[in-house]
Amino acid sequence: MKKAWFAAVAALFAASPAFAADKVTLMLNWYVYGEHAPFYYGKEKGYFAEQGIDLEIQEGRGSAVTAQAVAAKTADFGYIDVPTMIKAAAKGAPLVATGVLLQTSPMSAMGFSDKNIRKPEDIKGKTVAVTPGDSMSQIWPLFLKKTGLKESDFRTVSGDAQTKLNAVINGQADLLLGYVMDQSMKIKDATGKAVTPIRFADYGIKMVSSGIVANTDYVKEKEGLVRRFMAAATKSVEEASKHPKDAAQSILTANPKGGQIATLTEGFELTIPLYKDPDGKSKQPFRVSEDNMKESVDLLVEYGGLDAAAKGKLASFYTNAYLPNPGQ
């Protein structure tokens, strides 16, 4: 019955010349890469249009920057690192995660495989390229504490996204901080050489990663729109996961300079396993368990400088209330 009702409403929207779709801006966490394929695929296939949404996808310049844009309502939704959002929300930013897509973190320190940097101890004496303000730089201090590394154990160079990549490609840095399905693919595109990541998740950083965030006032004022957006986003992820190459191609259709189809596809395929709920309680994209969120907040409090008071505010950082009912 519900499916029939939604179909009828969608048909009514499509048939009515007076209907104007809601213009919605989604700002990404970074320059486009394979992880973002579902949003481009959903737009291309009309899943957002079916929900009465005229979606504009904007590239970002770091999770912290996108969080600021959403908090200021200059973007309607953000797709960012949720722990970064939690740290901002704990300090008063009006933000909430309306869906957590990556249930396991893809963050890593990575360099060319032929340098044999394969574990934290190997980072000592090396040069690491970072981008201040991005999600990795927010969590990097936690990784150092978990692995017993100190800032004095290595040299750090800073720069924007491209500068960071160039530093590794040109040999000015041994490693960079990045996502296993993003920067590693860009390095491979540029050099043809294999990259080995040291994954944060392999060293006790069991926390959620990217998700959809919105301004808390925006969510209250536009509950119906938030539900429609999350329904479209959920369908986009489900369908894109079935057709990874087509989903990757949708990035290039929208942005011909967005990468190479082989590595965009590989990057998206590396992303799909991260959707899995580690507790095994849900198979629906974006639906996160309380236990997974609690563990993420606990780690941020213990190692990431988050105020302990945040443990008592867990429910304010996320909600599953705007997701479609499982199987809907």
Side-chain angles (χ1 to χ4, degrees):
M1 177 67 90
K2 287 184 178 180
K3 288 183 179 179
W5 184 85
F6 279 116
V9 172
L12 178 62
F13 284 163
S16 174
F19 173 73
D22 290 299
K23 293 185 180 297
V24 170
T25 300
L26 170 66
M27 183 177 286
L28 303 175
N29 54 337
W30 207 246
Y31 301 94
V32 66
Y33 58 95
E35 181 187 349
H36 303 138
F39 303 113
Y40 287 92
Y41 190 70
K43 181 176 180 178
E44 179 182 278
K45 290 295 183 180
Y47 302 147
F48 287 93
E50 288 173 0
Q51 294 291 341
I53 292 173
D54 178 8
L55 180 65
E56 177 187 354
I57 303 173
Q58 296 181 352
E59 290 185 310
R61 298 297 180 268
S63 287
V65 176
T66 298
Q68 291 170 2
V70 175
K73 294 187 178 180
T74 56
D76 299 312
F77 294 93
Y79 179 70
I80 68 172
D81 178 64
V82 174
T84 298
M85 183 225 73
I86 290 172
K87 294 177 80 170
K91 294 179 180 179
L95 297 168
V96 63
T98 55
V100 179
L101 186 55
L102 303 194
Q103 306 278 321
T104 301
S105 176
M107 294 182 184
S108 66
M110 62 183 72
F112 288 121
S113 299
D114 59 16
K115 286 181 174 284
N116 291 316
I117 305 171
R118 304 181 184 279
K119 56 186 183 299
E121 185 178 338
D122 297 335
I123 296 174
K124 292 181 179 180
K126 302 299 191 296
T127 298
V128 182
V130 305
T131 296
D134 72 359
S135 59
M136 275 76 66
S137 68
Q138 304 284 314
I139 307 302
W140 178 237
L142 195 163
F143 174 79
L144 298 182
K145 290 181 181 180
K146 292 286 282 186
T147 58
L149 288 171
K150 301 176 181 178
E151 292 278 0
S152 59
D153 287 334
F154 52 88
R155 179 171 172 260
T156 300
V157 295
S158 299
D160 64 17
Q162 192 58 50
T163 301
K164 182 170 66 174
L165 285 168
N166 289 342
V168 170
I169 291 168
N170 297 328
Q172 296 167 324
D174 301 292
L175 306 107
L176 59 76
L177 304 187
Y179 282 10
V180 294
M181 67 293 214
D182 178 12
Q183 285 83 0
S184 61
M185 298 295 102
K186 287 185 170 66
I187 294 173
K188 191 173 181 179
D189 277 344
T191 68
K193 296 174 65 177
V195 173
T196 296
I198 301 173
R199 300 170 188 260
F200 291 8
D202 292 338
Y203 293 90
I205 302 180
K206 306 292 186 182
M207 61 169 52
V208 297
S209 184
S210 304
I212 298 293
V213 306
N215 183 291
T216 51
D217 290 334
Y218 182 91
V219 172
K220 292 175 184 177
E221 294 164 4
K222 301 189 176 185
E223 289 189 1
L225 177 56
V226 175
R227 290 183 191 280
R228 287 187 280 127
F229 181 88
M230 293 310 303
T234 299
K235 183 175 181 180
S236 297
V237 171
E238 290 173 337
E239 295 302 315
S241 298
K242 299 174 186 175
H243 310 283
K245 187 172 183 179
D246 291 342
Q249 181 59 49
S250 69
I251 292 177
L252 296 177
T253 301
N255 182 359
K257 296 182 179 180
Q260 299 179 20
I261 186 61
T263 44
L264 285 172
T265 303
E266 183 180 351
F268 179 45
E269 289 174 338
L270 286 170
T271 305
I272 294 172
L274 303 178
Y275 299 157
K276 185 178 180 180
D277 174 9
D279 296 327
K281 296 178 180 177
S282 173
K283 295 182 179 180
Q284 184 188 50
F286 294 109
R287 188 174 295 276
V288 66
S289 70
E290 180 179 345
D291 288 344
N292 205 4
M293 287 298 293
K294 181 180 183 302
E295 186 171 2
S296 299
V297 170
D298 287 349
L299 276 174
L300 287 172
V301 169
E302 185 175 358
Y303 296 101
L306 186 65
D307 192 292
K311 291 186 177 184
K313 302 176 182 177
L314 182 64
S316 70
F317 298 135
Y318 78 103
T319 178
N320 291 322
Y322 299 95
L323 299 177
N325 292 328
Q328 181 174 291

